[in-house]
Amino acid sequence: MTSPARILVTGATGAVGGAVLRRLTAAGHDAYGVSSRGGRSPRQLAWRIGAEEAPDELRGPWHVVVHCAADTRWNLTEEESEQANVVPLRALLKWLDKDTHLVHLSSSYAIGLTGSVEPTSPRAYRNTYEWSKAAAERLIAAEYARADIVRFPIVMGAREDGFLDRYSGFFWLPSSLCTGAVPALVGDKDAYLDIVSTDDIAGHVAALVEGGRPPGARLSVLGRHAGAPRVAEAFDTILDALNGWRAENGVALLEQLPYVSGDQWNRFYLPFAREYLDRAQLLRVTAFQAYQGYLSVTEPFEVTHTVEPVTSTLYRSIRRWADTHAAAARRIPRAWRP
């Protein structure tokens, strides 16, 4: 594509959307961003897609629209998840010019429990987020076939310094380790935990933009495949990053938590412990249960684009989280005594 292209990035104040917008701007494109509340820059506008008309400033044509906007929460109802992740996409597809190059950001986990986005039943997925991302991919295939779909797994910050526009999702884990709200690591320590950096995603999107609109549907899957960290390696890295930061700041070091399998936890530990948990512990443990399926992946994701090793990026991202959430990172874990 001849630069500069006029490009719109949705979800532009999020962890991934922010990185994509910066990369495209740095490449010399005429890039704008939208999010539900807008941003500080005049080029970051407020637009609740699907709930209101687009602002006048967003009149086309657009050469490329990169759809990063999503609600990644796993505890939404089916209706809430559809309203968050499918309805806005449907509205966006109707708004797009037929010649616009759509780059839709999805999830490696959109293939759910069957390895495919085709099942329509929520029971084919671990949670409603996966289900809604699969529905979004099916919608694009049906209504906008000349598009790029980019799937990726768990996201960490920039490779250089771990920076993220928003530390959410997976970052409940360092917070929980520092408070002692999670009593054990529930999962298979030899399972794969595939991770990418925002740099990997932003760089790939920029390459797709430069390459131009595909003649049909084009799927990219980013990740490390068999080179992905194992759960034990990833958790050791997280603990090392936290304890390095805590040592430098005069805070007592965290201890390594034991591993228990999901079956052991759900059948023997949790039923007996539940009545003794306080509200904060119960909330954390319930949230942790949602991750069990992701910490027991024994077969690596098939990928089309292998990213560079990510262990050092994970370390820097956790350190950067601690720098920006110092009060949480300084917490002393409470003893977990059911």
Side-chain angles (χ1 to χ4, degrees):
M1 172 173 288
T2 303
S3 295
R6 191 166 187 249
I7 303 175
L8 180 66
V9 178
T10 73
T13 56
V16 174
V20 169
L21 181 60
R22 286 191 293 275
R23 178 64 66 92
L24 294 174
T25 301
H29 295 293
D30 186 19
Y32 289 77
V34 295
S35 60
S36 59
R37 297 182 179 179
R40 298 177 181 176
S41 165
R43 285 177 172 258
Q44 293 184 344
L45 305 174
W47 182 22
R48 294 182 298 152
I49 305 172
E52 60 190 23
E53 295 296 321
D56 290 341
E57 297 92 327
L58 296 181
R59 280 196 289 264
W62 296 95
H63 297 107
V64 183
V65 170
V66 185
H67 186 45
C68 304
D71 189 329
T72 61
R73 289 177 293 173
W74 296 343
N75 60 348
L76 300 179
T77 66
E78 293 169 27
E79 181 179 356
E80 289 170 337
S81 195
E82 181 175 14
Q83 287 294 321
N85 295 325
V86 182
V87 170
L89 174 61
R90 184 176 290 112
L92 187 66
L93 293 179
K94 293 179 179 178
W95 176 79
L96 289 180
D97 184 88
K98 63 181 179 62
D99 295 321
T100 300
H101 179 185
L102 173 65
V103 181
H104 172 74
L105 300 195
S106 186
S107 167
S108 298
Y109 300 103
I111 59 175
L113 300 172
T114 67
S116 170
V117 299
E118 292 306 317
T120 59
S121 170
R123 290 189 295 275
Y125 303 90
R126 297 177 185 86
N127 51 60
T128 56
Y129 172 67
E130 291 184 357
W131 171 74
S132 69
K133 296 303 282 186
E137 289 197 25
R138 293 195 303 270
L139 178 61
I140 291 172
E143 297 189 10
Y144 208 86
R146 287 188 61 192
D148 275 295
I149 293 176
V150 182
R151 295 179 188 160
F152 49 86
I154 294 170
V155 179
M156 289 292 124
R159 287 185 174 272
E160 181 178 3
D161 59 5
F163 171 79
L164 278 169
D165 290 83
R166 184 180 302 168
Y167 293 87
S168 58
F170 189 81
F171 288 89
W172 66 268
L173 179 59
S175 175
S176 296
L177 292 176
C178 292
T179 62
V182 173
L185 299 175
V186 183
D188 181 349
K189 63 181 180 180
D190 294 320
Y192 292 96
L193 189 64
D194 213 344
I195 296 170
V196 298
S197 164
T198 52
D199 291 335
D200 301 324
I201 303 167
H204 185 71
V205 169
L208 293 177
V209 169
E210 291 298 329
R213 191 182 185 193
R218 181 167 55 186
L219 174 66
S220 305
V221 186
L222 311 185
R224 288 284 297 160
H225 188 56
R230 302 299 179 108
V231 167
E233 178 189 1
F235 281 179
D236 286 348
T237 300
I238 292 169
L239 188 64
D240 287 346
L242 288 173
N243 278 338
W245 187 92
R246 288 167 74 94
E248 292 173 10
N249 288 274
V251 184
L253 303 188
L254 302 171
E255 297 182 0
Q256 174 69 58
L257 295 179
Y259 286 91
V260 300
S261 70
D263 186 62
Q264 288 174 315
W265 178 251
N266 293 319
R267 292 182 60 188
F268 301 109
Y269 289 86
L270 188 57
F272 294 102
R274 187 181 294 277
E275 64 179 295
Y276 299 100
L277 300 178
D278 63 31
R279 184 173 180 275
Q281 288 175 321
L282 184 59
L283 286 172
R284 294 285 183 168
V285 168
T286 300
F288 193 47
Q289 279 184 288
Y291 272 93
Q292 291 178 23
Y294 299 104
L295 302 180
S296 304
V297 178
T298 56
E299 294 294 329
F301 286 118
E302 295 295 330
V303 303
T304 62
H305 294 76
T306 304
V307 305
E308 295 297 316
V310 294
T311 302
S312 60
T313 302
L314 173 59
Y315 182 91
R316 294 186 187 101
S317 298
I318 297 298
R319 288 282 304 224
R320 188 64 178 255
W321 171 86
D323 285 337
T324 55
H325 298 76
R330 289 178 177 275
R331 294 283 298 274
I332 304 299
R334 292 181 300 162
W336 204 88
R337 305 182 191 279

